[in-house]
Amino acid sequence: MTSTPTPTSSWFSKGAESRQEQSRDTMGNSKSPLMRRSRWRRSSSKVSGEDILALQDLDPALNSKMHLVNDAIDDIGWTPYHTKLFFLNGFGYAVDSLVLLLQSVIAGPAYREFGNRGYQEGLTVAVYSGMLIGALFWGFGADIVGRRYAFNLSLLICSLSAIIAGGMPSWASLGFFVSLIGFGGGGNLVLDTTVFLEYLPGSKQWVLTMMAAWWGLGQAITGLIAWGFLVPTRWNCASVDTCTMANNMGWRYVMFTSGALVLVLSILRLTIIRLKETPKYLLGAGEDAKVVETLQYLAGKYNRPCSLTLNQLGACGLVTGTHSKNRFSIGETMVHLRGLFATHMIAVSTVMIWLSWAMVGLAYPLFYVFLPSYLEARGAKLDLSQFEIWRNYALTNFSSIFGPLLAGWLCNLSFLGRRYTMLIGGLMTAGFFVGYTQVRTAAQDVGISCAIAFSLNVYYGTLYAYTPEVLPSAHRATGNGIAVACNRIMGILSAVIATVADTSTVVPIYICVGLLAVMGVVAALFPFEPYGRRSS
């Protein structure tokens, strides 16, 4: 256990004194619209004003400043700027799931066109490798130089790579650009949650969980695009012997269409949001003046109260330990890694989160590696046409949209919170996985598939939101990036297992079911519960 830090005297004297003076100034005019709006927000909020990591032995100056910044963000409340972030960060979520599935839907027809030569699971390894490197590169980079650059560039790289990939003449060159798609997407996934969270008022942090519905939307879009281009025979060759680029354009149209869609979204992100650096990153970087400037700008633009001043932040002391002397050095990287293990509870939390990401990254894809042989051996009759295959694929992915919507509601219930919502999602998914082993007909197949997509995203959506919520702000992108990287390493491992393993054995299926149940239990044991608290 860690001891409760003693705040600096300057926090109690100067900081509190300043707040009291502002309170007296405002209370003098009870008819002020800003005062009425602020009172309503405080009375309607379920957040107590406690910061998640406030009781940890961290830098007392940073804790005090973070409390003031969270108060200011709560006073400003939800604005049209947050709505923009919800939609355009959500589009980023959709893009991440879209590009992750692209390689799986085009791999078959592309491999056939290139003569079935090369490593058959090459695109899977390529996209997971790209997302692994991207998560680490953009994660560390966002903590070193800021969120804004990674946020704006990652989606643009993704879109251009997808368009170029559609014109590739060989399996190897296609794999290279698929890895670049993953590189951009991997960074985007880390930054979407981080940027959105660092602008959110505490009473609206549950929206971060609901935002994962965009992930399901991206999967559904992939399914619909594939359904449109991979079914018509004029765009899809039937045999490797007669397959040419001219009669097998379907998979290329999938890439061109997806890349163009992502390009539009990346341009909208640059032109509509015009993201300012997040106040919590600036706080860790010691840029107090820019913190005040950013929050005062938002308050002024949307006619909201914001009493935060530079003097208040300065009275809290000097923030230390969030960066090294040289930003571009091994020492800087080590600062961010050590920050994820700053106290015993933070270290336990970090390890458990990374373990959860690794387990779900292995269990989900590995289950589907062994499932077809298992069902076939037990007499399942799933003879489906190409139309039915891609129709069912679209239906399954459409079902996944609603899991995070349920999760967003559940995690805002005081008796469940984030941890028990993940427990429910993990156990539900494990149960449906067991049910899937009994599938014998096509109707059962699509029904259970939809149920799994729904329940898994209850867990996944909550984990996506929980991870940045409980990580220290100065090291949040690094911790989030490593979590996603753990997931991608397991994805690569599952692709290798698919190539070399004996898929006739049933043991791995039940290991995957067990992993899902364990994931839920691990989530229930996480040391921090964000419900009613604000991210630090």
Side-chain angles (χ1 to χ4, degrees), residues 1-5 55-58 342-346 528:
M1 294 294 292
T2 58
S3 60
T4 302
L55 301 182
Q56 300 302 300
D57 288 326
L58 301 174
T343 70
H344 175 72
M345 282 188 69
I346 292 176
F528 298 114

Side-chain angles (χ1 to χ4, degrees), residues 170-187:
S170 69
W171 185 242
S173 60
L174 175 61
F176 173 75
F177 280 98
V178 165
S179 68
L180 285 182
I181 295 171
F183 175 74

Side-chain angles (χ1 to χ4, degrees), residues 67-378:
H67 193 85
L68 287 172
V69 167
N70 278 334
D71 285 347
I73 292 174
D74 284 349
D75 281 342
I76 292 171
W78 184 277
T79 69
Y81 185 75
H82 293 89
T83 303
K84 290 180 187 177
L85 284 175
F86 177 78
F87 279 96
L88 291 181
N89 285 37
F91 289 156
Y93 250 38
V95 166
D96 295 324
S97 63
L98 186 152
V99 300
L100 190 59
L101 288 181
L102 273 182
Q103 56 81 24
S104 65
V105 302
I106 70 158
Y111 191 64
R112 188 161 54 245
E113 179 182 322
F114 298 133
N116 288 353
R117 290 187 296 272
Y119 181 46
Q120 190 170 357
E121 301 295 331
L123 294 193
T124 302
V125 173
V127 75
Y128 274 109
S129 298
M131 295 192 91
L132 165 63
I133 297 170
L136 294 174
F137 177 84
W138 297 110
F140 279 106
D143 277 340
I144 294 171
V145 300
R147 320 309 196 203
R148 188 162 56 97
Y149 299 106
F151 183 76
N152 289 333
L153 287 175
S154 57
L155 205 60
L156 190 61
I157 292 172
C158 218
S159 61
L160 296 177
S161 299
I163 294 171
I164 295 171
M168 286 301 99
S170 69
W171 185 242
S173 60
L174 175 61
F176 173 75
F177 280 98
V178 165
S179 68
L180 285 182
I181 295 171
F183 175 74
N188 192 60
L189 182 59
V190 172
L191 269 298
D192 285 331
T193 51
T194 299
V195 168
F196 191 46
L197 174 66
E198 292 184 353
Y199 273 105
L200 272 180
S203 62
K204 295 293 188 292
Q205 283 180 197
W206 59 270
V207 179
L208 195 64
T209 299
M210 191 173 286
M211 195 173 78
W214 290 96
W215 181 269
L217 180 62
Q219 292 177 319
I221 291 172
T222 305
L224 292 171
I225 293 173
W227 190 8
F229 289 119
L230 298 182
V231 173
T233 54
R234 67 182 182 276
W235 294 330
N236 297 277
C237 60
S239 168
V240 65
D241 298 324
T242 60
C243 202
T244 65
M245 180 177 175
N247 64 8
N248 196 46
M249 288 294 291
W251 71 267
R252 297 180 186 275
Y253 291 150
V254 169
M255 298 301 289
F256 293 147
T257 304
S258 302
L261 174 62
V262 178
L263 181 61
V264 170
L265 297 179
S266 63
I267 293 171
L268 290 176
R269 177 175 280 191
L270 288 169
T271 55
I272 292 181
I273 292 185
R274 296 180 182 178
L275 182 74
K276 287 180 172 290
E277 191 54 79
T278 68
K280 292 185 179 181
Y281 169 79
L282 293 172
L283 200 62
E287 302 280 357
D288 290 357
K290 290 184 179 179
V291 173
V292 174
E293 178 187 340
T294 298
L295 293 176
Q296 292 287 1
Y297 168 80
L298 276 180
K301 184 173 182 179
Y302 299 109
N303 193 29
R304 301 297 173 86
C306 180
S307 57
L308 183 67
T309 66
L310 187 57
N311 287 338
Q312 284 180 307
L313 293 179
C316 297
L318 185 65
V319 173
T320 60
T322 55
H323 290 284
S324 68
K325 292 181 180 179
N326 183 0
R327 291 283 183 96
F328 302 97
S329 66
I330 298 297
E332 175 76 7
T333 302
M334 295 309 298
V335 165
H336 294 300
L337 287 174
R338 284 195 297 267
L340 299 170
F341 298 87
T343 70
H344 175 72
M345 282 188 69
I346 292 176
V348 169
S349 174
T350 297
V351 171
M352 292 178 74
I353 287 171
W354 291 351
L355 177 64
S356 297
W357 278 87
M359 285 193 294
V360 72
L362 179 64
Y364 184 66
L366 198 60
F367 180 83
Y368 287 100
V369 166
F370 289 90
L371 185 67
S373 298
Y374 178 90
L375 294 179
E376 185 178 354
R378 280 151 183 78

